[in-house]
Amino acid sequence: MWHGMLLFLLGLITGLLEHRFTNVRMGLAAHLEGVMNGIFLLALSAAWNEVRLSYPVKVTAYCTVLYGTYANWLVTSIAAIFGTAAGSPITSAGHSGLPWQESFVAIGFLSVTIAMIATSVLVLWGLRGTAAELGDRWSHSDLANRGLMEKTPNG
């Protein structure tokens, strides 16, 4: 949750500075990446205890999600500073950076893509459950324990 709030704050600060970037549209994108990725981390942290993975795989998911979210904001911010097109005609707004800057940003976005897809696959895998596990979770839930859900006459 801490990382989610930090990234959310970085996104807000980026929004305050977006008019100072070489590519203002990419600055807006960096602001939105920070805010949205911060919210994503907060949402994932709320479900994190339900992710059932072996310890090394869960650590891998944790590291890839932190890398992916922070790097997404950082690379987008760097693209805004450099004024690169970053392979996106919508956010490039007629800007382009030096060839090494374009390559750096493109590699950065590729690494973010790989990290976030890996994270999504791992978390989805960790959230899977058998019907028996799901039924067991329901039977031990607050609603079932409080008797708020009555059994049907046929059940």
Side-chain angles (χ1 to χ4, degrees):
M1 288 187 165
W2 187 88
H3 286 286
M5 284 308 305
L6 176 61
L7 194 50
F8 186 83
L9 177 62
L10 290 172
L12 292 175
I13 292 168
T14 304
L16 293 173
L17 302 174
E18 71 187 34
H19 65 281
R20 295 181 179 262
F21 291 118
T22 302
N23 182 345
V24 177
R25 283 188 187 176
M26 191 64 79
L28 174 62
H31 156 67
L32 293 173
E33 290 300 343
V35 170
M36 289 189 310
N37 279 292
I39 293 169
F40 170 68
L41 284 176
L42 285 168
L44 182 58
S45 68
W48 192 248
N49 287 334
E50 299 300 318
V51 177
R52 305 282 183 245
L53 296 169
S54 66
Y55 182 75
V57 177
K58 198 166 187 178
V59 168
T60 300
Y62 180 82
C63 291
T64 57
V65 76
L66 288 183
Y67 171 79
T69 52
Y70 279 104
N72 197 358
W73 166 78
L74 182 62
V75 171
T76 307
S77 297
I78 290 170
I81 292 166
F82 287 164
T84 61
S88 174
I90 293 171
T91 54
S92 69
H95 292 277
S96 64
L98 299 172
W100 73 268
Q101 294 171 331
E102 294 287 348
S103 295
F104 178 82
V105 169
I107 290 167
F109 282 136
L110 178 61
S111 72
V112 166
T113 300
I114 293 167
M116 294 308 288
I117 289 172
T119 295
S120 298
V121 168
L122 291 174
V123 170
L124 276 171
W125 182 256
L127 290 173
R128 77 196 184 289
T130 64
E133 288 172 336
L134 294 174
D136 188 50
R137 280 189 209 163
W138 170 251
S139 67
H140 291 96
S141 73
D142 254 0
L143 291 176
N145 288 338
R146 291 182 191 170
L148 295 176
M149 299 301 295
E150 296 180 24
K151 293 190 176 192
T152 61
N154 298 332

